[in-house]
C-alpha cells in the first residue's frame, strides 16, 4: 500500500475547497495511507490520516521567543467545524500578506520533530498543493530535499502569477518571489498537475514543463435534460453549491432578485437554494435571503450535494464580473 504525504495550507476536509480537491485527486483512499503537514489553525474533518500542524500563531510565538520551536502532530477530533469562517468579500491586503511571509521567514520550526514524524510514516510520495504562500514552498523544498527518495507531485489549482493590474508594490514583490519558488518546485517535480487545459498550456509557456490535467468534477451528478414540467403545482428549483467569496454572492443576489420578480408575475414559482460552508455577514444575509425566492441552506456533505444537484431543475454556476475578482478566480 502506497503512503502519500500531503503538504498544503489547509487541513483535509470534505467541505473546504482546496482540501476537497486533494481528497478527490487521491481517489480510492483504501489503496493508500495518508499523512499531512499543513499550515493553518483549523482542524481536519477527514479521519483516516495522520496530521502535523504548523499555524500562524505557532510561528508568531516562535518569533517572540526564539527558544520556542514550533510544529506538532495532532489527533483527529470528531465533529470539528472547518468551514470558511470569514467570507472573502474583497481582495486580500497584499502588504499584510507580505508581512506574514516575513514572520514565517523569521519563525523557528522544529524540523527535528517534523522529520522524525515523517520518518515514522515513511512516505513513498510527496504531494504538494502549491498555493500562494511563499513559505510553503520553502518548507516543501526542505522536506523533499530530506526525503529525496520520494516521488514528488506538485498540483496547482489557481493562478497567482499572471500579471494583474495592481499598483501595490507588495503584490509585485510577492509575485516575483512566488515565480522563483514555483519555477524551482516545478522543475524538480516528478509529476506536475494543473487544473485545466488552458492552465496547462499557459504554464507550459511560462515554466517550460508540461503537466497532467486534473479537474475536480463531482462524481455521480447526472447530465440529464430538463425534465420537470413548468406547471402551477411545482416549484422550479435552482441550486448553487460552492463558495461565496470573490463576490459570487453578489451575482447570486442578482439571480435571487430576478426570481423574486418572476414569482410575482407568474403562476409558476421558483426558488434559488444556496449550499455553502461560507458564513454569511449581515449584508450577505440581506442580499441572499429573499422570502419565497432564495434560501441559504448551509453546508452539505459531498454525497448529499450529488443527491441535491440531481434533484435540482437548474444547477447554477456563479462568478463576479468585477475585474479584480475575475483575475483572482484564474
Amino acid at each position: 500500500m502506497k503512503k502519500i504525504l500531503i503538504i498544503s495550507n489547509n487541513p483535509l476536509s470534505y467541505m473546504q475547497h482546496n482540501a476537497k480537491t486533494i481528497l478527490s485527486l487521491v481517489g480510492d483512499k483504501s489503496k493508500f495511507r495518508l499523512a499531512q503537514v499543513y499550515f493553518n489553525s483549523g482542524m481536519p474533518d477527514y479521519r483516516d490520516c495522520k496530521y502535523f500542524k504548523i499555524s500562524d500563531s505557532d510561528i508568531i510565538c516562535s518569533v517572540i521567543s526564539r527558544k520556542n520551536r514550533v510544529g506538532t502532530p495532532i489527533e483527529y477530533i470528531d465533529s470539528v467545524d472547518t468551514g470558511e469562517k470569514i467570507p472573502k468579500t474583497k481582495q486580500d491586503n497584499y502588504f499584510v500578506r507580505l508581512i506574514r511571509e516575513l514572520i514565517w521567514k523569521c519563525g523557528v520550526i522544529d524540523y527535528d520533530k517534523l522529520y522524525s514524524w515523517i520518518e515514522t510514516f515513511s512516505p513513498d510520495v510527496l504531494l504538494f498543493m502549491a498555493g500562494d504562500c511563499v513559505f510553503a514552498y520553502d518548507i516543501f523544498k526542505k522536506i523533499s530535499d530530506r526525503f529525496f527518495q520520494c516521488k514528488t507531485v506538485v498540483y496547482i489549482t489557481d493562478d497567482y502569477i499572471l500579471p494583474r493590474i495592481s499598483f501595490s508594490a507588495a503584490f509585485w514583490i510577492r509575485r516575483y518571489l512566488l515565480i522563483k519558488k514555483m519555477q524551482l518546485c516545478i522543475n524538480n517535480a516528478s509529476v506536475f498537475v494543473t487544473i485545466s487545459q488552458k492552465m496547462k498550456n499557459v504554464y507550459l509557456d511560462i515554466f517550460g514543463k508540461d503537466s497532467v490535467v486534473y479537474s475536480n468534477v463531482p462524481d455521480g451528478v447526472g447530465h440529464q435534460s430538463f425534465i420537470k414540467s413548468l406547471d402551477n403545482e411545482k416549484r422550479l428549483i435552482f441550486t448553487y453549491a460552492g463558495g461565496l467569496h470573490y463576490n459570487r454572492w453578489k451575482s447570486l443576489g442578482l439571480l435571487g432578485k430576478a426570481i423574486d420578480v418572476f414569482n410575482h408575475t407568474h403562476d409558476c414559482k421558483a426558488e434559488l437554494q444556496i449550499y455553502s460552508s461560507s458564513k454569511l455577514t449581515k449584508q450577505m444575509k440581506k442580499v441572499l435571503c429573499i422570502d419565497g425566492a432564495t434560501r441559504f441552506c448551509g453546508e452539505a456533505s459531498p454525497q448529499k450535494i450529488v443527491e441535491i444537484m440531481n434533484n435540482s431543475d437548474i444547477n447554477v454556476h456563479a462568478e463576479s464580473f468585477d475585474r479584480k475578482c475575475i483575475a483572482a478566480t484564474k
Side-chain angles (χ1 to χ4, degrees):
M1 182 178 288
K2 291 287 185 181
K3 290 178 280 187
I4 302 174
L5 174 64
I6 300 163
I7 299 136
S8 65
N9 291 316
N10 299 309
L12 291 180
S13 168
Y14 288 115
M15 302 299 177
Q16 200 278 334
H17 309 302
N18 266 6
K20 289 191 298 184
T21 303
I22 297 173
L23 285 174
S24 174
L25 176 64
V26 171
D28 185 355
K29 268 69 77 178
S30 65
K31 297 179 179 178
F32 305 97
R33 288 182 59 198
L34 299 178
Q36 184 186 31
V37 179
Y38 70 92
F39 318 117
N40 192 296
S41 61
M43 297 294 286
D45 67 9
Y46 179 75
R47 179 186 298 274
D48 298 322
C49 183
K50 298 178 181 295
Y51 295 98
F52 193 98
K53 179 174 76 169
I54 311 169
S55 68
D56 284 330
S57 57
D58 292 334
I59 290 296
I60 291 171
C61 288
S62 75
V63 172
I64 294 172
S65 174
R66 303 296 293 174
K67 295 180 180 179
N68 187 16
R69 303 170 71 201
V70 298
T72 184
I74 63 165
E75 297 294 329
Y76 168 85
I77 301 175
D78 203 4
S79 300
V80 173
D81 179 13
T82 59
E84 185 181 337
K85 305 300 180 187
I86 303 174
K88 297 181 181 178
T89 57
K90 60 182 180 179
Q91 291 291 296
D92 289 332
N93 186 310
Y94 296 120
F95 178 74
V96 171
R97 302 200 69 179
L98 192 59
I99 295 298
R100 182 186 182 220
E101 298 288 359
L102 180 61
I103 293 172
W104 274 81
K105 187 74 174 177
C106 297
V108 185
I109 296 173
D110 191 341
Y111 279 103
D112 290 338
K113 182 191 289 186
L114 174 59
Y115 292 154
S116 176
W117 179 82
I118 295 174
E119 285 168 359
T120 301
F121 180 67
S122 187
D124 302 296
V125 177
L126 305 179
L127 170 57
F128 179 41
M129 178 65 87
D132 63 342
C133 298
V134 175
F135 64 82
Y137 290 83
D138 291 332
I139 296 172
F140 170 69
K141 186 177 186 306
K142 284 180 178 290
I143 293 173
S144 59
D145 286 348
R146 177 64 177 259
F147 298 91
F148 59 88
Q149 75 280 5
C150 296
K151 297 288 185 182
T152 56
V153 178
V154 175
Y155 187 21
I156 302 178
T157 61
D158 299 284
D159 173 70
Y160 309 105
I161 62 168
L162 292 181
R164 310 277 201 272
I165 299 175
S166 175
F167 297 103
S168 168
F171 166 79
W172 292 104
I173 292 170
R174 287 188 73 252
R175 177 177 180 268
Y176 171 76
L177 294 173
L178 272 172
I179 290 174
K180 284 183 62 178
K181 301 294 183 182
M182 199 176 283
Q183 179 77 72
L184 181 62
C185 178
I186 290 171
N187 286 349
N188 294 331
S190 307
V191 179
F192 177 35
V193 185
T194 48
I195 203 164
S196 68
Q197 186 64 43
K198 187 169 185 178
M199 190 178 199
K200 169 189 170 86
N201 296 337
V202 171
Y203 274 47
L204 175 60
D205 289 339
I206 295 173
F207 297 112
K209 184 160 182 171
D210 204 0
S211 61
V212 177
V213 173
Y214 177 78
S215 301
N216 183 20
V217 179
D219 292 329
V221 177
H223 298 278
Q224 56 194 3
S225 59
F226 184 79
I227 56 173
K228 290 185 181 178
S229 60
L230 288 175
D231 58 47
N232 297 341
E233 296 180 359
K234 286 187 178 180
R235 181 172 288 264
L236 186 66
I237 300 299
F238 291 73
T239 301
Y240 175 80
L244 302 178
H245 54 299
Y246 293 134
N247 286 337
R248 289 169 182 147
W249 63 276
K250 292 184 179 180
S251 295
L252 292 170
L254 291 174
L255 176 58
K257 285 184 179 180
I259 290 174
D260 190 39
V261 171
F262 175 86
N263 287 346
H264 282 90
T265 55
H266 292 76
D267 293 331
C268 174
K269 306 302 178 185
E271 182 179 72
L272 170 62
Q273 298 180 356
I274 300 168
Y275 293 85
S276 179
S277 60
S278 300
K279 306 302 179 185
L280 298 186
T281 63
K282 289 183 179 179
Q283 183 183 13
M284 293 166 76
K285 285 181 181 179
K286 185 177 179 180
V287 170
L288 295 179
C289 300
I290 304 173
D291 188 38
T294 61
R295 182 155 56 96
F296 182 75
C297 305
E299 64 183 21
S301 69
Q303 296 78 14
K304 186 65 177 177
I305 287 295
V306 170
E307 178 185 338
I308 290 166
M309 294 180 78
N310 280 330
N311 289 326
S312 172
D313 294 302
I314 298 175
N315 291 315
V316 175
H317 179 87
E319 297 292 353
S320 169
F321 293 97
D322 177 80
R323 175 178 53 81
K324 289 184 178 180
C325 291
I326 290 171
T329 302
K330 282 187 178 178

